Amino acid sequence: MSSRKRYEELKKEIFKHDHLYHVLDKPEISDYEYDQLYSELLEIEKSNPDWVGQDSPSLRVGSNPLDFFEKAQHTLPMLSLSNSYSVEDILEFDKRIKKFLNSESPISYFCEPKYDGLAIELVYENGVLVRALTRGDGITGEDVTANVKTIRNIPLRIPSDLSRLEIRGEVLMFKKDFKELNAAQEESGENSFANPRNAAAGSIRQLDSRIAAKRNLKFMAYAPGSVEGLNYHSQSDFHKHLQQWGFRLPGQHKKQPLSQLCESADEVLEFYSAIHKVRKELDYDIDGIVIKVNSLSLQQDLGLIAKSPRWATAAKYPPEQATTVLEQIVVQVGRTGALTPVAVMKPVKVGGVTVSSATLHNQDEIDRKDLRIGDTVVIQRAGDVIPEIVSVILQKRSPSSIPYLLPTHCPSCGTRAEKILEEAVLRCPNRHCPAVMKEALKHFVSRKAMNLDKIGDRLIETLYDSGLVRKFSDLYQLKKESLLELERQGEKSAENVIASIETSKKTTLQRLIYSLGIRFVGEQTASLIADHFGSLDSFLSATDEELLKIPEVGPKVCSAIKDFLQNKEATTEAKHLIELGVAVQQPRRKSSGPLTGKSFLITGTLPVKRESAKEFIESNGGKMLSSVSSKLNYLVAGDDPGSKLEKAEKLGVQIISWEDLQKLV
Ligand code: IVH
């Protein structure tokens, strides 16, 4: 087969699997098989750069940063919606429409969620996604094509030969991705986002599309832009087209349908309240439903009022706000020593959930809202998840109240807190601060770290306070007898704790490195470090030069790792863990196969990801080594091989390519 034909075929295959995975949630192949297709495509593109078009799946990972976003006009203005806030408003909307149309008979409405994200217009020419614009002022938007092409549930090519087709929708971040992103942002000392909408919008406004590519954004399509030549008669018809073109429809996998054709105002009200009930369980934030007259010809009859269509309205849910009293501000000390003020409030129900605390982030935030202890405050569950204080009711403020200032010293150990330039937070610099240590221990035992699953936060507090555990290694020296002396520790639970400590000893290098709590070293970075060094010892003796070779380790992360490596106490502690029986194993289960008994090492860039190559070797029984020695059977060399190649040649190790390796299997 000619490689051009193969290239087109690969694109089709990749589109198909993207759709199965990201739209239908029904993957048919493993990630490994997908990576294989993808790297074959990249190989072909490398040798034939002029074939790379606007629909190449390689655009999904982002491309070189832009200097600025170009502006572009929308073919048709992007309108806004009138708002309704209650059942009465919705009935009023229905009445207005009937009056305008001079009709008594029920109207059919198409209803769906009002997504709380960033509106985007996609422009397809002859089926290929050529442009994506933000709403802007409705007339002119910004060209954010490179960012939008990284969103994996947006088809880069659709089965339509219309010369031009515009589709509008909302870019969203799922709640779980938002939480993960914020945790990672905090871990890397960067600002967190207030809610998923800001995170989605912030990602699309990045000039570097490689950042957007990492953010796991989603797109929900909901409206046509200019669609000349498209045969459709109603909003529900349009949604059928959307589905055929490969877009994800709301709630297509859920019991409660999230979009519905309602045959009367009463049915709309039922839908409005049904969605209100499931709102909290949705993967993403919504702020209401959108009600649209279904028939296109009625829509045209109804036309616009000012900048909103008369035929649609956004029916919002009552804001989930409440007032309560700010009783106290406590200062929490985090694992990195960061001092975070937290509001303690008189418990109050907001949107069905009792709220009694909210983070206040830092002094700047407290100053901006002028929060004082004793104030009556308005709280709200922002973005449906995190409660926050919105404002103070000044009329209710006591004349004797005074502005709140964060303490100058760590509330746990009394050390003077430091403010690091350009950071909004105060930190306790004491490495032995009890609060910092407790948090470090909680991190150490957590599920994604060493996973001592029978030791929860409460037990860590008790173990620390009793003096039994003051550092990581103490955990591995715990005896059942000493546990039994603690309050509320029964025979059975003490046994469980000891067993979970034992089980946790079998771990991976990635987990061990992650659990050490080195600043800026999250799970991902830990995994790259583990892959790179292969053993704790070689990590502990890493040089700057070596560290900087690791993808994602830049100067900032490198210097944090260096701080750790130069801290004698910390490195001794890490080694002590190994002495106490913590054993790092190869992460993947070993299988036997054609490569059993043979050892491998990879150097240079292979046509597939390193991880996939390792998985391939190990799943066929091969063993990965971390350095060249006479024990090594094969060095798999890709492009730009490193010094390992030379060394292997000297030692007479057999050097093979990725293709040779596949032949071996
Ligand atoms: S239809 C005539 N459907 O709401 C407007 N809009 O206030 C056609 N939005 O800028 C838009 N979810 O960003 C429509 N299911 C939905 C929506 C939706 C969110 C946003 C959209 C628009 C804003 C209007």
Side-chain angles (χ1 to χ4, degrees):
M1 185 190 310
S2 81
S3 59
R4 179 76 211 214
K5 201 162 156 223
R6 176 65 183 152
Y7 179 62
E8 293 305 325
E9 196 181 272
L10 276 169
K11 277 207 300 200
K12 259 200 208 137
E13 273 287 286
I14 293 176
F15 288 151
K16 179 178 122 189
H17 292 296
D18 278 346
H19 184 246
L20 283 164
Y21 186 95
H22 294 285
V23 177
L24 302 180
D25 285 345
K26 279 195 188 119
E28 284 179 1
I29 59 174
S30 69
D31 289 2
Y32 174 71
E33 287 166 300
Y34 182 87
D35 283 350
Q36 297 263 308
L37 294 175
Y38 201 78
S39 39
E40 190 182 345
L41 176 109
L42 292 184
E43 271 297 287
I44 301 185
E45 288 191 349
K46 212 160 118 195
S47 347
N48 305 282
D50 51 319
W51 293 355
V52 182
Q54 285 170 312
D55 64 346
S56 166
S58 56
L59 298 169
R60 298 290 201 200
V61 294
S63 32
N64 290 337
L66 304 172
D67 295 325
F68 57 91
F69 293 122
E70 304 271 355
K71 293 234 171 357
Q73 285 233 334
H74 297 289
T75 320
L76 297 174
M78 283 181 85
L79 303 170
S80 48
L81 290 170
S82 66
N83 290 320
S84 309
Y85 295 97
S86 61
V87 168
E88 293 71 41
D89 285 359
I90 296 175
L91 293 173
E92 197 52 46
F93 165 76
D94 176 60
K95 249 198 219 150
R96 266 200 316 272
I97 285 180
K98 286 182 182 147
K99 186 160 171 223
F100 193 91
L101 296 173
N102 210 355
S103 152
E104 296 280 298
S105 33
I107 307 277
S108 298
Y109 295 102
F110 187 86
C111 299
E112 62 180 335
K114 181 167 190 312
Y115 307 105
D116 198 8
L118 178 73
I120 290 286
E121 174 170 82
L122 307 178
V123 182
Y124 287 87
E125 282 174 9
N126 305 310
V128 177
L129 176 59
V130 295
R131 201 161 29 262
L133 302 178
T134 61
R135 179 172 188 276
D137 59 7
I139 305 295
T140 310
E142 284 182 321
D143 184 330
V144 289
T145 312
N147 285 331
V148 167
K149 282 191 175 176
T150 68
I151 303 177
R152 303 208 174 221
N153 72 346
I154 295 184
L156 297 175
R157 180 182 270 284
I158 59 175
S160 152
D161 39 23
L162 288 182
S163 60
R164 189 182 175 91
L165 174 69
E166 297 175 355
I167 295 166
R168 293 169 179 182
E170 205 87 351
V171 171
L172 299 174
M173 187 177 286
F174 279 11
K175 293 176 196 170
K176 79 168 182 358
D177 294 320
F178 166 71
K179 274 197 198 146
E180 278 175 19
L181 171 65
N182 261 1
Q185 291 285 107
E186 274 160 28
E187 191 166 275
S188 59
E190 281 165 71
N191 287 336
S192 47
F193 295 97
N195 52 48
R197 172 165 39 85
N198 288 6
S203 307
I204 290 295
R205 296 214 179 90
Q206 293 278 350
L207 291 164
D208 186 346
S209 51
R210 290 168 299 195
I211 298 179
K214 288 190 190 147
R215 296 275 170 90
N216 207 5
L217 299 169
K218 308 277 193 243
F219 180 80
M220 303 302 286
Y222 50 61
S226 160
V227 288
E228 244 183 71
L230 181 70
N231 177 26
Y232 82 108
H233 305 286
S234 64
Q235 187 71 35
S236 44
D237 267 4
F238 182 70
H239 278 251
K240 281 189 198 123
H241 279 298
L242 285 175
Q243 194 161 16
Q244 278 156 10
W245 292 327
F247 288 92
R248 188 185 177 109
L249 295 187
Q252 66 192 28
H253 321 294
K254 298 271 155 48
K255 273 185 231 127
Q256 162 67 46
L258 299 182
S259 65
Q260 190 174 309
L261 186 60
C262 299
E263 298 297 351
S264 66
D266 282 342
E267 281 188 33
V268 171
L269 294 181
E270 273 170 39
F271 182 78
Y272 178 62
S273 97
I275 297 300
H276 195 187
K277 287 201 189 96
V278 297
R279 176 184 186 190
K280 285 193 203 60
E281 289 133 47
L282 300 183
D283 295 331
Y284 44 81
D285 284 343
I286 64 169
D287 50 5
I289 62 167
V290 180
I291 308 170
K292 306 171 189 180
V293 168
N294 192 40
S295 148
L296 184 62
S297 69
L298 290 186
Q299 286 183 2
Q300 282 158 349
D301 292 347
L302 286 155
L304 302 179
I305 338 174
K307 284 190 183 134
S308 312
R310 191 178 272 111
W311 47 265
T313 187
K316 307 260 182 100
Y317 294 115
E320 306 204 328
Q321 285 194 340
T323 60
T324 183
V325 176
L326 173 57
E327 291 179 330
Q328 225 199 100
I329 296 178
V330 296
V331 176
Q332 286 178 353
V333 187
R335 179 161 65 84
T336 60
L339 305 188
T340 310
V342 176
V344 180
M345 296 167 296
K346 203 164 155 221
V348 64
K349 270 206 158 179
V350 196
V353 177
T354 304
V355 172
S356 60
S357 71
T359 172
L360 300 174
H361 305 283
N362 50 50
Q363 184 74 51
D364 296 351
E365 179 89 2
I366 295 175
D367 294 347
R368 198 168 54 76
K369 293 178 179 162
D370 184 20
L371 296 176
R372 304 180 184 191
I373 293 169
D375 274 348
T376 300
V377 292
V378 178
I379 62 167
Q380 127 178 327
R381 296 214 305 132
D384 249 5
V385 266
I386 320 149
E388 65 168 354
I389 296 188
V390 193
S391 58
V392 173
I393 303 182
L394 287 175
Q395 294 87 327
K396 295 204 177 168
R397 172 171 282 173
S398 141
S400 62
S401 78
I402 48 165
Y404 176 83
L405 279 179
L406 270 167
T408 51
H409 292 73
C410 171
S412 172
C413 67
T415 308
R416 192 173 180 85
E418 291 174 355
K419 186 160 169 165
I420 296 167
L421 219 62
E422 290 175 33
E423 283 191 352
V425 291
L426 278 176
R427 280 180 204 282
C428 167
N430 175 10
R431 283 196 186 121
H432 299 278
C433 169
V436 172
M437 272 318 298
K438 282 181 186 173
E439 292 309 306
L441 284 162
K442 287 176 195 168
H443 171 76
F444 184 85
V445 303
S446 64
R447 194 170 53 82
K448 290 178 173 172
M450 294 298 285
N451 192 21
L452 278 69
D453 60 351
K454 289 292 179 293
I455 305 189
D457 288 1
R458 278 261 284 284
L459 185 52
I460 288 288
E461 300 270 342
T462 319
L463 287 169
Y464 189 93
D465 293 338
S466 68
L468 278 177
V469 175
R470 287 287 157 103
K471 48 189 191 309
F472 303 149
S473 57
D474 293 344
L475 286 163
Y476 290 100
Q477 289 166 291
L478 272 177
K479 299 268 172 313
K480 189 174 139 194
E481 299 74 59
S482 23
L483 282 173
L484 285 173
E485 281 164 25
L486 298 174
E487 245 177 83
R488 278 198 309 261
Q489 273 295 329
E491 186 85 18
K492 188 75 208 146
S493 81
E495 271 167 22
N496 286 341
V497 169
I498 298 290
S500 93
I501 294 173
E502 248 348 272
T503 322
S504 79
K505 285 184 181 169
K506 270 197 197 149
T507 190
T508 59
L509 185 56
Q510 183 266 346
R511 279 175 179 271
L512 180 59
I513 292 175
Y514 174 63
S515 68
L516 297 174
I518 305 167
R519 251 194 112 192
F520 307 138
V521 177
E523 277 177 275
Q524 164 79 357
T525 314
S527 151
L528 294 169
I529 296 177
D531 278 355
H532 187 90
F533 291 102
S535 77
L536 184 70
D537 275 341
S538 61
F539 168 56
L540 292 181
S541 50
T543 60
D544 281 16
E545 208 189 353
E546 194 71 23
L547 286 167
L548 287 167
K549 276 191 208 151
I550 302 175
E552 302 204 5
V553 174
K556 191 173 80 177
V557 182
C558 179
S559 121
I561 298 177
K562 260 335 250 201
D563 279 351
F564 172 84
L565 295 178
Q566 281 161 2
N567 175 358
K568 196 89 191 23
E569 201 181 339
T571 53
T572 311
E573 175 67 2
K575 286 183 200 148
H576 196 192
L577 292 173
I578 303 282
E579 287 157 17
L580 290 169
V582 170
V584 299
Q585 309 165 311
Q586 291 297 337
R588 270 164 287 281
R589 82 194 113 79
K590 299 268 185 324
S591 0
S592 64
L595 305 182
T596 302
K598 300 277 179 257
S599 62
F600 295 82
L601 182 65
I602 301 171
T603 182
T605 318
L606 301 183
V608 297
K609 281 192 217 141
R610 275 262 165 124
E611 266 306 290
S612 312
K614 283 188 183 167
E615 198 172 298
F616 178 76
I617 292 171
E618 287 175 349
S619 63
N620 283 297
K623 190 174 149 202
M624 292 303 304
L625 293 191
S626 59
S627 61
V628 183
S629 69
S630 51
K631 287 196 200 113
L632 180 65
N633 297 115
Y634 295 99
L635 180 73
V636 186
D639 291 347
D640 304 322
S643 59
K644 288 179 196 152
L645 182 62
E646 220 174 288
K647 199 166 169 200
E649 276 170 346
K650 265 193 207 144
L651 290 172
V653 172
Q654 199 171 341
I655 295 158
I656 59 172
S657 68
W658 172 243
E659 287 74 27
D660 297 336
L661 174 67
Q662 282 171 310
K663 278 182 210 143
L664 277 183
V665 172

